[in-house]
Amino acid sequence: MEKQEDQKKKRGPHEGHRERLKEFILRDEVEGLPPHNVLELLLFYVIPRKDTNLIAHDLLDRFKSISGVINAPVEQLREVQGIGDHAATFLHMLPQLFRVYSEDCMREKETSSYEEIVDYIKAKFSGMDKEKVMIFSLDSKFSVIGADVVSEGSMSGAPIDIRSILSAVLKRNARHVIMAHNHPGGFVTPSPDDIEATKNVRNALSVTGIALLDHIIVSTQKTFSMANSKRYGEIFRTVQRL
């Protein structure tokens, strides 16, 4: 009897905490949890024998948000007490896993709404800390049939290779194209190089009868559609032949 009482004291007030949090997963209610509890849940499965609540708080103190944590470089994650190689690799893997999941979901759809395509594009850039330019090929039903990285680095630092873009979209037999690139720094306002590159790609595609529908700029928190903006929308309604 005394032994049982001693075991209860050792368990402390947080006994059953993990099981209570897991119930949120089973009820599809993770969105209702505070950020530190969401991180706790993730860490349960890679740090089974430690108090992951404290580690979750330390991660949020360092990286400010859940997205900040999972987008952080492995080297910086390891600097947080309690995060070893295994946990750091697990957290770093999540954005890559989201991209695979998102692409798989899109592949199963015969048609997609514009909002779904934008969500898919955002997912493709999830966790990327370097600027990349991608071309998304769409068929006649506006379903995404392919995504190709055509450049790495800023628009000014890595000029767009028009031939690579044409090769990618023609290979996929695209009818429409959406161009996208990310600004890891957080700003989504198009630069002069972004605007010039958009016009060049539009003009090159028009020769083959393929329409450039949009150029979307993605950051960690925001997304900017040039086609849906008053300032840049005309670019996609006006074609200058090469």
Side-chain angles (χ1 to χ4, degrees), residues 103 105-114 116-118 120-121 135-147 169 172-178 210-211 213:
E103 187 161 356
C105 288
M106 284 296 295
R107 195 180 292 119
E108 294 177 357
K109 292 178 177 288
E110 289 187 9
T111 59
S112 304
S113 69
Y114 190 76
E116 288 173 327
I117 293 173
V118 172
Y120 169 63
I121 290 172
I135 291 292
F136 295 83
S137 297
L138 283 66
D139 62 15
S140 58
K141 295 181 180 179
F142 297 93
S143 293
V144 177
I145 54 176
V169 299
R172 296 186 184 279
N173 197 28
R175 296 292 300 275
H176 314 279
V177 163
I178 294 177
I210 299 172
L213 301 180

PDB file of all heavy atoms in Angstrom, residues 103 105-114 116-118 120-121 135-147 169 172-178 210-211 213:
ATOM      1  N   GLU A 103       1.362  17.339 -52.586  1.00  0.00           N
ATOM      2  CA  GLU A 103       1.459  16.946 -53.992  1.00  0.00           C
ATOM      3  C   GLU A 103       0.637  15.701 -54.265  1.00  0.00           C
ATOM      4  O   GLU A 103      -0.017  15.576 -55.306  1.00  0.00           O
ATOM      5  CB  GLU A 103       2.920  16.715 -54.364  1.00  0.00           C
ATOM      6  CG  GLU A 103       3.130  16.462 -55.830  1.00  0.00           C
ATOM      7  CD  GLU A 103       4.573  16.694 -56.264  1.00  0.00           C
ATOM      8  OE1 GLU A 103       5.390  17.118 -55.428  1.00  0.00           O
ATOM      9  OE2 GLU A 103       4.855  16.458 -57.442  1.00  0.00           O
ATOM     10  N   CYS A 105      -2.088  14.767 -52.670  1.00  0.00           N
ATOM     11  CA  CYS A 105      -3.503  15.153 -52.654  1.00  0.00           C
ATOM     12  C   CYS A 105      -3.909  15.809 -53.968  1.00  0.00           C
ATOM     13  O   CYS A 105      -4.982  15.540 -54.509  1.00  0.00           O
ATOM     14  CB  CYS A 105      -3.780  16.118 -51.494  1.00  0.00           C
ATOM     15  SG  CYS A 105      -3.733  15.349 -49.862  1.00  0.00           S
ATOM     16  N   MET A 106      -3.048  16.684 -54.505  1.00  0.00           N
ATOM     17  CA  MET A 106      -3.346  17.367 -55.762  1.00  0.00           C
ATOM     18  C   MET A 106      -3.398  16.382 -56.917  1.00  0.00           C
ATOM     19  O   MET A 106      -4.221  16.510 -57.831  1.00  0.00           O
ATOM     20  CB  MET A 106      -2.290  18.432 -56.045  1.00  0.00           C
ATOM     21  CG  MET A 106      -2.428  19.685 -55.215  1.00  0.00           C
ATOM     22  SD  MET A 106      -3.958  20.592 -55.535  1.00  0.00           S
ATOM     23  CE  MET A 106      -3.719  21.101 -57.226  1.00  0.00           C
ATOM     24  N   ARG A 107      -2.553  15.369 -56.876  1.00  0.00           N
ATOM     25  CA  ARG A 107      -2.483  14.397 -57.960  1.00  0.00           C
ATOM     26  C   ARG A 107      -3.783  13.600 -58.071  1.00  0.00           C
ATOM     27  O   ARG A 107      -4.150  13.122 -59.153  1.00  0.00           O
ATOM     28  CB  ARG A 107      -1.295  13.461 -57.726  1.00  0.00           C
ATOM     29  CG  ARG A 107      -0.897  12.653 -58.950  1.00  0.00           C
ATOM     30  CD  ARG A 107       0.284  11.761 -58.655  1.00  0.00           C
ATOM     31  NE  ARG A 107       1.495  12.516 -58.420  1.00  0.00           N
ATOM     32  CZ  ARG A 107       2.179  12.490 -57.289  1.00  0.00           C
ATOM     33  NH1 ARG A 107       1.778  11.742 -56.277  1.00  0.00           N
ATOM     34  NH2 ARG A 107       3.276  13.194 -57.145  1.00  0.00           N
ATOM     35  N   GLU A 108      -4.482  13.453 -56.952  1.00  0.00           N
ATOM     36  CA  GLU A 108      -5.710  12.666 -56.945  1.00  0.00           C
ATOM     37  C   GLU A 108      -6.930  13.447 -57.445  1.00  0.00           C
ATOM     38  O   GLU A 108      -7.982  12.873 -57.685  1.00  0.00           O
ATOM     39  CB  GLU A 108      -5.981  12.159 -55.527  1.00  0.00           C
ATOM     40  CG  GLU A 108      -4.939  11.146 -55.032  1.00  0.00           C
ATOM     41  CD  GLU A 108      -5.192  10.729 -53.595  1.00  0.00           C
ATOM     42  OE1 GLU A 108      -6.136  11.262 -52.986  1.00  0.00           O
ATOM     43  OE2 GLU A 108      -4.445   9.872 -53.108  1.00  0.00           O
ATOM     44  N   LYS A 109      -6.790  14.757 -57.626  1.00  0.00           N
ATOM     45  CA  LYS A 109      -7.916  15.583 -58.057  1.00  0.00           C
ATOM     46  C   LYS A 109      -7.947  15.703 -59.581  1.00  0.00           C
ATOM     47  O   LYS A 109      -6.932  15.932 -60.219  1.00  0.00           O
ATOM     48  CB  LYS A 109      -7.820  16.993 -57.444  1.00  0.00           C
ATOM     49  CG  LYS A 109      -8.026  17.024 -55.946  1.00  0.00           C
ATOM     50  CD  LYS A 109      -7.869  18.446 -55.439  1.00  0.00           C
ATOM     51  CE  LYS A 109      -8.145  18.522 -53.944  1.00  0.00           C
ATOM     52  NZ  LYS A 109      -9.560  18.371 -53.645  1.00  0.00           N
ATOM     53  N   GLU A 110      -9.152  15.571 -60.166  1.00  0.00           N
ATOM     54  CA  GLU A 110      -9.288  15.767 -61.606  1.00  0.00           C
ATOM     55  C   GLU A 110      -9.302  17.255 -61.943  1.00  0.00           C
ATOM     56  O   GLU A 110      -8.782  17.677 -62.974  1.00  0.00           O
ATOM     57  CB  GLU A 110     -10.570  15.099 -62.106  1.00  0.00           C
ATOM     58  CG  GLU A 110     -10.501  13.575 -62.096  1.00  0.00           C
ATOM     59  CD  GLU A 110     -11.706  12.958 -62.759  1.00  0.00           C
ATOM     60  OE1 GLU A 110     -12.492  13.710 -63.367  1.00  0.00           O
ATOM     61  OE2 GLU A 110     -11.854  11.725 -62.681  1.00  0.00           O
ATOM     62  N   THR A 111      -9.940  18.043 -61.114  1.00  0.00           N
ATOM     63  CA  THR A 111      -9.942  19.489 -61.279  1.00  0.00           C
ATOM     64  C   THR A 111      -9.648  20.137 -59.930  1.00  0.00           C
ATOM     65  O   THR A 111      -9.901  19.538 -58.890  1.00  0.00           O
ATOM     66  CB  THR A 111     -11.307  20.006 -61.798  1.00  0.00           C
ATOM     67  OG1 THR A 111     -12.327  19.633 -60.877  1.00  0.00           O
ATOM     68  CG2 THR A 111     -11.613  19.443 -63.173  1.00  0.00           C
ATOM     69  N   SER A 112      -9.135  21.353 -59.960  1.00  0.00           N
ATOM     70  CA  SER A 112      -8.775  22.038 -58.725  1.00  0.00           C
ATOM     71  C   SER A 112      -9.244  23.482 -58.785  1.00  0.00           C
ATOM     72  O   SER A 112      -9.209  24.107 -59.852  1.00  0.00           O
ATOM     73  CB  SER A 112      -7.261  22.002 -58.509  1.00  0.00           C
ATOM     74  OG  SER A 112      -6.775  20.673 -58.523  1.00  0.00           O
ATOM     75  N   SER A 113      -9.667  24.015 -57.663  1.00  0.00           N
ATOM     76  CA  SER A 113      -9.999  25.429 -57.596  1.00  0.00           C
ATOM     77  C   SER A 113      -8.709  26.231 -57.530  1.00  0.00           C
ATOM     78  O   SER A 113      -7.643  25.700 -57.204  1.00  0.00           O
ATOM     79  CB  SER A 113     -10.853  25.716 -56.364  1.00  0.00           C
ATOM     80  OG  SER A 113     -10.084  25.560 -55.180  1.00  0.00           O
ATOM     81  N   TYR A 114      -8.813  27.508 -57.823  1.00  0.00           N
ATOM     82  CA  TYR A 114      -7.622  28.360 -57.777  1.00  0.00           C
ATOM     83  C   TYR A 114      -7.055  28.396 -56.361  1.00  0.00           C
ATOM     84  O   TYR A 114      -5.836  28.371 -56.161  1.00  0.00           O
ATOM     85  CB  TYR A 114      -7.969  29.776 -58.237  1.00  0.00           C
ATOM     86  CG  TYR A 114      -6.760  30.652 -58.439  1.00  0.00           C
ATOM     87  CD1 TYR A 114      -5.960  30.501 -59.562  1.00  0.00           C
ATOM     88  CD2 TYR A 114      -6.393  31.606 -57.488  1.00  0.00           C
ATOM     89  CE1 TYR A 114      -4.827  31.285 -59.754  1.00  0.00           C
ATOM     90  CE2 TYR A 114      -5.266  32.395 -57.669  1.00  0.00           C
ATOM     91  CZ  TYR A 114      -4.493  32.227 -58.797  1.00  0.00           C
ATOM     92  OH  TYR A 114      -3.376  33.002 -58.972  1.00  0.00           O
ATOM     93  N   GLU A 116      -7.164  26.063 -54.127  1.00  0.00           N
ATOM     94  CA  GLU A 116      -6.461  24.805 -53.855  1.00  0.00           C
ATOM     95  C   GLU A 116      -5.079  24.805 -54.508  1.00  0.00           C
ATOM     96  O   GLU A 116      -4.108  24.303 -53.932  1.00  0.00           O
ATOM     97  CB  GLU A 116      -7.281  23.625 -54.370  1.00  0.00           C
ATOM     98  CG  GLU A 116      -8.518  23.338 -53.540  1.00  0.00           C
ATOM     99  CD  GLU A 116      -9.406  22.281 -54.165  1.00  0.00           C
ATOM    100  OE1 GLU A 116      -9.457  22.213 -55.416  1.00  0.00           O
ATOM    101  OE2 GLU A 116     -10.059  21.533 -53.419  1.00  0.00           O
ATOM    102  N   ILE A 117      -4.996  25.366 -55.708  1.00  0.00           N
ATOM    103  CA  ILE A 117      -3.705  25.435 -56.394  1.00  0.00           C
ATOM    104  C   ILE A 117      -2.744  26.330 -55.621  1.00  0.00           C
ATOM    105  O   ILE A 117      -1.560  26.000 -55.452  1.00  0.00           O
ATOM    106  CB  ILE A 117      -3.883  25.943 -57.838  1.00  0.00           C
ATOM    107  CG1 ILE A 117      -4.645  24.907 -58.662  1.00  0.00           C
ATOM    108  CG2 ILE A 117      -2.527  26.236 -58.483  1.00  0.00           C
ATOM    109  CD1 ILE A 117      -5.036  25.369 -60.052  1.00  0.00           C
ATOM    110  N   VAL A 118      -3.245  27.471 -55.129  1.00  0.00           N
ATOM    111  CA  VAL A 118      -2.396  28.379 -54.349  1.00  0.00           C
ATOM    112  C   VAL A 118      -1.922  27.686 -53.067  1.00  0.00           C
ATOM    113  O   VAL A 118      -0.749  27.798 -52.682  1.00  0.00           O
ATOM    114  CB  VAL A 118      -3.139  29.685 -54.020  1.00  0.00           C
ATOM    115  CG1 VAL A 118      -2.331  30.540 -53.039  1.00  0.00           C
ATOM    116  CG2 VAL A 118      -3.402  30.483 -55.295  1.00  0.00           C
ATOM    117  N   TYR A 120      -1.497  24.548 -52.665  1.00  0.00           N
ATOM    118  CA  TYR A 120      -0.503  23.561 -53.108  1.00  0.00           C
ATOM    119  C   TYR A 120       0.848  24.224 -53.355  1.00  0.00           C
ATOM    120  O   TYR A 120       1.900  23.717 -52.946  1.00  0.00           O
ATOM    121  CB  TYR A 120      -1.017  22.880 -54.376  1.00  0.00           C
ATOM    122  CG  TYR A 120       0.000  22.034 -55.100  1.00  0.00           C
ATOM    123  CD1 TYR A 120       0.565  20.908 -54.491  1.00  0.00           C
ATOM    124  CD2 TYR A 120       0.399  22.345 -56.397  1.00  0.00           C
ATOM    125  CE1 TYR A 120       1.489  20.125 -55.160  1.00  0.00           C
ATOM    126  CE2 TYR A 120       1.327  21.565 -57.070  1.00  0.00           C
ATOM    127  CZ  TYR A 120       1.866  20.456 -56.450  1.00  0.00           C
ATOM    128  OH  TYR A 120       2.784  19.684 -57.098  1.00  0.00           O
ATOM    129  N   ILE A 121       0.818  25.388 -53.997  1.00  0.00           N
ATOM    130  CA  ILE A 121       2.060  26.123 -54.268  1.00  0.00           C
ATOM    131  C   ILE A 121       2.734  26.527 -52.958  1.00  0.00           C
ATOM    132  O   ILE A 121       3.953  26.390 -52.796  1.00  0.00           O
ATOM    133  CB  ILE A 121       1.773  27.354 -55.150  1.00  0.00           C
ATOM    134  CG1 ILE A 121       1.398  26.885 -56.570  1.00  0.00           C
ATOM    135  CG2 ILE A 121       2.981  28.300 -55.196  1.00  0.00           C
ATOM    136  CD1 ILE A 121       0.915  27.990 -57.478  1.00  0.00           C
ATOM    137  N   ILE A 135       7.897  26.481 -61.859  1.00  0.00           N
ATOM    138  CA  ILE A 135       6.870  26.576 -62.886  1.00  0.00           C
ATOM    139  C   ILE A 135       5.875  25.437 -62.651  1.00  0.00           C
ATOM    140  O   ILE A 135       6.262  24.269 -62.579  1.00  0.00           O
ATOM    141  CB  ILE A 135       7.486  26.458 -64.298  1.00  0.00           C
ATOM    142  CG1 ILE A 135       8.316  27.689 -64.613  1.00  0.00           C
ATOM    143  CG2 ILE A 135       6.400  26.263 -65.347  1.00  0.00           C
ATOM    144  CD1 ILE A 135       7.533  28.969 -64.776  1.00  0.00           C
ATOM    145  N   PHE A 136       4.595  25.804 -62.533  1.00  0.00           N
ATOM    146  CA  PHE A 136       3.533  24.821 -62.313  1.00  0.00           C
ATOM    147  C   PHE A 136       2.730  24.680 -63.603  1.00  0.00           C
ATOM    148  O   PHE A 136       2.124  25.642 -64.081  1.00  0.00           O
ATOM    149  CB  PHE A 136       2.638  25.250 -61.150  1.00  0.00           C
ATOM    150  CG  PHE A 136       3.357  25.280 -59.825  1.00  0.00           C
ATOM    151  CD1 PHE A 136       4.113  26.384 -59.457  1.00  0.00           C
ATOM    152  CD2 PHE A 136       3.303  24.190 -58.979  1.00  0.00           C
ATOM    153  CE1 PHE A 136       4.797  26.403 -58.250  1.00  0.00           C
ATOM    154  CE2 PHE A 136       3.989  24.197 -57.769  1.00  0.00           C
ATOM    155  CZ  PHE A 136       4.734  25.307 -57.406  1.00  0.00           C
ATOM    156  N   SER A 137       2.749  23.486 -64.160  1.00  0.00           N
ATOM    157  CA  SER A 137       2.042  23.213 -65.410  1.00  0.00           C
ATOM    158  C   SER A 137       0.619  22.749 -65.119  1.00  0.00           C
ATOM    159  O   SER A 137       0.404  21.899 -64.239  1.00  0.00           O
ATOM    160  CB  SER A 137       2.776  22.139 -66.215  1.00  0.00           C
ATOM    161  OG  SER A 137       4.065  22.592 -66.587  1.00  0.00           O
ATOM    162  N   LEU A 138      -0.345  23.301 -65.855  1.00  0.00           N
ATOM    163  CA  LEU A 138      -1.750  22.945 -65.701  1.00  0.00           C
ATOM    164  C   LEU A 138      -2.286  22.425 -67.035  1.00  0.00           C
ATOM    165  O   LEU A 138      -1.858  22.878 -68.104  1.00  0.00           O
ATOM    166  CB  LEU A 138      -2.586  24.142 -65.259  1.00  0.00           C
ATOM    167  CG  LEU A 138      -2.526  24.592 -63.793  1.00  0.00           C
ATOM    168  CD1 LEU A 138      -1.152  25.117 -63.410  1.00  0.00           C
ATOM    169  CD2 LEU A 138      -3.579  25.660 -63.510  1.00  0.00           C
ATOM    170  N   ASP A 139      -3.253  21.510 -66.952  1.00  0.00           N
ATOM    171  CA  ASP A 139      -3.871  21.017 -68.185  1.00  0.00           C
ATOM    172  C   ASP A 139      -5.088  21.868 -68.545  1.00  0.00           C
ATOM    173  O   ASP A 139      -5.328  22.922 -67.932  1.00  0.00           O
ATOM    174  CB  ASP A 139      -4.244  19.535 -68.046  1.00  0.00           C
ATOM    175  CG  ASP A 139      -5.280  19.263 -66.955  1.00  0.00           C
ATOM    176  OD1 ASP A 139      -5.938  20.223 -66.483  1.00  0.00           O
ATOM    177  OD2 ASP A 139      -5.431  18.095 -66.559  1.00  0.00           O
ATOM    178  N   SER A 140      -5.880  21.416 -69.502  1.00  0.00           N
ATOM    179  CA  SER A 140      -7.019  22.203 -69.970  1.00  0.00           C
ATOM    180  C   SER A 140      -8.122  22.330 -68.920  1.00  0.00           C
ATOM    181  O   SER A 140      -8.960  23.218 -68.999  1.00  0.00           O
ATOM    182  CB  SER A 140      -7.597  21.581 -71.246  1.00  0.00           C
ATOM    183  OG  SER A 140      -7.999  20.245 -71.011  1.00  0.00           O
ATOM    184  N   LYS A 141      -8.103  21.435 -67.924  1.00  0.00           N
ATOM    185  CA  LYS A 141      -9.096  21.488 -66.844  1.00  0.00           C
ATOM    186  C   LYS A 141      -8.558  22.266 -65.633  1.00  0.00           C
ATOM    187  O   LYS A 141      -9.184  22.271 -64.579  1.00  0.00           O
ATOM    188  CB  LYS A 141      -9.472  20.075 -66.409  1.00  0.00           C
ATOM    189  CG  LYS A 141     -10.181  19.267 -67.483  1.00  0.00           C
ATOM    190  CD  LYS A 141     -10.543  17.885 -66.961  1.00  0.00           C
ATOM    191  CE  LYS A 141     -11.250  17.067 -68.015  1.00  0.00           C
ATOM    192  NZ  LYS A 141     -11.597  15.699 -67.515  1.00  0.00           N
ATOM    193  N   PHE A 142      -7.400  22.868 -65.791  1.00  0.00           N
ATOM    194  CA  PHE A 142      -6.755  23.643 -64.730  1.00  0.00           C
ATOM    195  C   PHE A 142      -6.333  22.774 -63.538  1.00  0.00           C
ATOM    196  O   PHE A 142      -6.309  23.232 -62.402  1.00  0.00           O
ATOM    197  CB  PHE A 142      -7.650  24.798 -64.258  1.00  0.00           C
ATOM    198  CG  PHE A 142      -7.920  25.807 -65.334  1.00  0.00           C
ATOM    199  CD1 PHE A 142      -9.042  25.698 -66.135  1.00  0.00           C
ATOM    200  CD2 PHE A 142      -7.038  26.850 -65.570  1.00  0.00           C
ATOM    201  CE1 PHE A 142      -9.289  26.611 -67.154  1.00  0.00           C
ATOM    202  CE2 PHE A 142      -7.267  27.767 -66.588  1.00  0.00           C
ATOM    203  CZ  PHE A 142      -8.400  27.650 -67.383  1.00  0.00           C
ATOM    204  N   SER A 143      -6.017  21.528 -63.852  1.00  0.00           N
ATOM    205  CA  SER A 143      -5.425  20.652 -62.843  1.00  0.00           C
ATOM    206  C   SER A 143      -3.912  20.723 -62.961  1.00  0.00           C
ATOM    207  O   SER A 143      -3.366  20.775 -64.072  1.00  0.00           O
ATOM    208  CB  SER A 143      -5.880  19.198 -63.051  1.00  0.00           C
ATOM    209  OG  SER A 143      -7.262  19.072 -62.808  1.00  0.00           O
ATOM    210  N   VAL A 144      -3.235  20.712 -61.825  1.00  0.00           N
ATOM    211  CA  VAL A 144      -1.773  20.744 -61.834  1.00  0.00           C
ATOM    212  C   VAL A 144      -1.251  19.389 -62.292  1.00  0.00           C
ATOM    213  O   VAL A 144      -1.587  18.351 -61.726  1.00  0.00           O
ATOM    214  CB  VAL A 144      -1.215  21.079 -60.433  1.00  0.00           C
ATOM    215  CG1 VAL A 144       0.313  21.036 -60.448  1.00  0.00           C
ATOM    216  CG2 VAL A 144      -1.690  22.448 -59.982  1.00  0.00           C
ATOM    217  N   ILE A 145      -0.432  19.417 -63.343  1.00  0.00           N
ATOM    218  CA  ILE A 145       0.108  18.158 -63.874  1.00  0.00           C
ATOM    219  C   ILE A 145       1.626  18.066 -63.699  1.00  0.00           C
ATOM    220  O   ILE A 145       2.235  17.072 -64.088  1.00  0.00           O
ATOM    221  CB  ILE A 145      -0.259  17.986 -65.362  1.00  0.00           C
ATOM    222  CG1 ILE A 145       0.179  19.210 -66.170  1.00  0.00           C
ATOM    223  CG2 ILE A 145      -1.755  17.736 -65.528  1.00  0.00           C
ATOM    224  CD1 ILE A 145      -0.062  19.075 -67.676  1.00  0.00           C
ATOM    225  N   GLY A 146       2.207  19.092 -63.112  1.00  0.00           N
ATOM    226  CA  GLY A 146       3.646  19.032 -62.880  1.00  0.00           C
ATOM    227  C   GLY A 146       4.174  20.296 -62.243  1.00  0.00           C
ATOM    228  O   GLY A 146       3.593  21.370 -62.388  1.00  0.00           O
ATOM    229  N   ALA A 147       5.263  20.159 -61.514  1.00  0.00           N
ATOM    230  CA  ALA A 147       5.932  21.299 -60.879  1.00  0.00           C
ATOM    231  C   ALA A 147       7.426  21.133 -61.079  1.00  0.00           C
ATOM    232  O   ALA A 147       7.989  20.072 -60.777  1.00  0.00           O
ATOM    233  CB  ALA A 147       5.585  21.352 -59.394  1.00  0.00           C
ATOM    234  N   VAL A 169       7.503  22.821 -69.652  1.00  0.00           N
ATOM    235  CA  VAL A 169       6.048  22.891 -69.888  1.00  0.00           C
ATOM    236  C   VAL A 169       5.647  22.137 -71.147  1.00  0.00           C
ATOM    237  O   VAL A 169       4.558  21.547 -71.211  1.00  0.00           O
ATOM    238  CB  VAL A 169       5.555  24.353 -69.933  1.00  0.00           C
ATOM    239  CG1 VAL A 169       5.843  25.049 -68.606  1.00  0.00           C
ATOM    240  CG2 VAL A 169       6.159  25.134 -71.089  1.00  0.00           C
ATOM    241  N   ARG A 172       5.491  18.460 -70.463  1.00  0.00           N
ATOM    242  CA  ARG A 172       4.288  18.071 -69.710  1.00  0.00           C
ATOM    243  C   ARG A 172       3.000  18.353 -70.488  1.00  0.00           C
ATOM    244  O   ARG A 172       1.910  18.120 -69.976  1.00  0.00           O
ATOM    245  CB  ARG A 172       4.265  18.811 -68.368  1.00  0.00           C
ATOM    246  CG  ARG A 172       5.426  18.426 -67.449  1.00  0.00           C
ATOM    247  CD  ARG A 172       5.286  19.069 -66.089  1.00  0.00           C
ATOM    248  NE  ARG A 172       6.413  18.806 -65.221  1.00  0.00           N
ATOM    249  CZ  ARG A 172       6.587  17.684 -64.520  1.00  0.00           C
ATOM    250  NH1 ARG A 172       5.686  16.713 -64.608  1.00  0.00           N
ATOM    251  NH2 ARG A 172       7.645  17.534 -63.736  1.00  0.00           N
ATOM    252  N   ASN A 173       3.138  18.877 -71.686  1.00  0.00           N
ATOM    253  CA  ASN A 173       1.981  19.199 -72.513  1.00  0.00           C
ATOM    254  C   ASN A 173       1.023  20.155 -71.789  1.00  0.00           C
ATOM    255  O   ASN A 173      -0.198  19.966 -71.799  1.00  0.00           O
ATOM    256  CB  ASN A 173       1.242  17.910 -72.928  1.00  0.00           C
ATOM    257  CG  ASN A 173       0.314  18.132 -74.102  1.00  0.00           C
ATOM    258  OD1 ASN A 173       0.538  19.014 -74.929  1.00  0.00           O
ATOM    259  ND2 ASN A 173      -0.746  17.344 -74.169  1.00  0.00           N
ATOM    260  N   ALA A 174       1.587  21.173 -71.185  1.00  0.00           N
ATOM    261  CA  ALA A 174       0.790  22.129 -70.407  1.00  0.00           C
ATOM    262  C   ALA A 174      -0.036  23.024 -71.319  1.00  0.00           C
ATOM    263  O   ALA A 174       0.375  23.364 -72.428  1.00  0.00           O
ATOM    264  CB  ALA A 174       1.710  22.984 -69.543  1.00  0.00           C
ATOM    265  N   ARG A 175      -1.209  23.411 -70.817  1.00  0.00           N
ATOM    266  CA  ARG A 175      -2.052  24.388 -71.513  1.00  0.00           C
ATOM    267  C   ARG A 175      -1.991  25.746 -70.826  1.00  0.00           C
ATOM    268  O   ARG A 175      -2.215  26.776 -71.451  1.00  0.00           O
ATOM    269  CB  ARG A 175      -3.510  23.886 -71.544  1.00  0.00           C
ATOM    270  CG  ARG A 175      -3.697  22.604 -72.332  1.00  0.00           C
ATOM    271  CD  ARG A 175      -3.458  22.825 -73.821  1.00  0.00           C
ATOM    272  NE  ARG A 175      -4.375  23.801 -74.371  1.00  0.00           N
ATOM    273  CZ  ARG A 175      -5.608  23.520 -74.804  1.00  0.00           C
ATOM    274  NH1 ARG A 175      -6.057  22.259 -74.740  1.00  0.00           N
ATOM    275  NH2 ARG A 175      -6.382  24.460 -75.298  1.00  0.00           N
ATOM    276  N   HIS A 176      -1.720  25.723 -69.542  1.00  0.00           N
ATOM    277  CA  HIS A 176      -1.607  26.943 -68.748  1.00  0.00           C
ATOM    278  C   HIS A 176      -0.421  26.779 -67.796  1.00  0.00           C
ATOM    279  O   HIS A 176      -0.020  25.655 -67.472  1.00  0.00           O
ATOM    280  CB  HIS A 176      -2.884  27.200 -67.925  1.00  0.00           C
ATOM    281  CG  HIS A 176      -4.147  27.041 -68.703  1.00  0.00           C
ATOM    282  ND1 HIS A 176      -4.645  28.012 -69.529  1.00  0.00           N
ATOM    283  CD2 HIS A 176      -5.012  25.997 -68.778  1.00  0.00           C
ATOM    284  CE1 HIS A 176      -5.770  27.594 -70.071  1.00  0.00           C
ATOM    285  NE2 HIS A 176      -6.010  26.380 -69.639  1.00  0.00           N
ATOM    286  N   VAL A 177       0.099  27.906 -67.338  1.00  0.00           N
ATOM    287  CA  VAL A 177       1.259  27.874 -66.435  1.00  0.00           C
ATOM    288  C   VAL A 177       1.084  28.919 -65.336  1.00  0.00           C
ATOM    289  O   VAL A 177       0.568  30.014 -65.574  1.00  0.00           O
ATOM    290  CB  VAL A 177       2.565  28.159 -67.218  1.00  0.00           C
ATOM    291  CG1 VAL A 177       3.709  28.553 -66.281  1.00  0.00           C
ATOM    292  CG2 VAL A 177       2.968  26.950 -68.039  1.00  0.00           C
ATOM    293  N   ILE A 178       1.490  28.548 -64.137  1.00  0.00           N
ATOM    294  CA  ILE A 178       1.619  29.510 -63.034  1.00  0.00           C
ATOM    295  C   ILE A 178       3.080  29.510 -62.604  1.00  0.00           C
ATOM    296  O   ILE A 178       3.669  28.459 -62.352  1.00  0.00           O
ATOM    297  CB  ILE A 178       0.718  29.146 -61.840  1.00  0.00           C
ATOM    298  CG1 ILE A 178      -0.763  29.269 -62.236  1.00  0.00           C
ATOM    299  CG2 ILE A 178       1.012  30.061 -60.642  1.00  0.00           C
ATOM    300  CD1 ILE A 178      -1.729  28.862 -61.138  1.00  0.00           C
ATOM    301  N   ILE A 210       0.721  28.873 -74.890  1.00  0.00           N
ATOM    302  CA  ILE A 210       0.488  28.574 -73.476  1.00  0.00           C
ATOM    303  C   ILE A 210       0.323  29.885 -72.717  1.00  0.00           C
ATOM    304  O   ILE A 210       1.110  30.817 -72.901  1.00  0.00           O
ATOM    305  CB  ILE A 210       1.656  27.761 -72.881  1.00  0.00           C
ATOM    306  CG1 ILE A 210       1.794  26.423 -73.617  1.00  0.00           C
ATOM    307  CG2 ILE A 210       1.447  27.519 -71.385  1.00  0.00           C
ATOM    308  CD1 ILE A 210       3.032  25.642 -73.224  1.00  0.00           C
ATOM    309  N   ALA A 211      -0.688  29.956 -71.877  1.00  0.00           N
ATOM    310  CA  ALA A 211      -0.975  31.185 -71.132  1.00  0.00           C
ATOM    311  C   ALA A 211      -0.321  31.168 -69.761  1.00  0.00           C
ATOM    312  O   ALA A 211      -0.410  30.164 -69.038  1.00  0.00           O
ATOM    313  CB  ALA A 211      -2.480  31.363 -70.978  1.00  0.00           C
ATOM    314  N   LEU A 213      -0.827  32.302 -66.287  1.00  0.00           N
ATOM    315  CA  LEU A 213      -1.992  32.740 -65.521  1.00  0.00           C
ATOM    316  C   LEU A 213      -1.637  33.656 -64.358  1.00  0.00           C
ATOM    317  O   LEU A 213      -2.416  34.547 -64.001  1.00  0.00           O
ATOM    318  CB  LEU A 213      -2.745  31.521 -64.977  1.00  0.00           C
ATOM    319  CG  LEU A 213      -3.273  30.518 -65.997  1.00  0.00           C
ATOM    320  CD1 LEU A 213      -4.000  29.384 -65.274  1.00  0.00           C
ATOM    321  CD2 LEU A 213      -4.190  31.199 -67.001  1.00  0.00           C
TER     322      LEU A 213
END
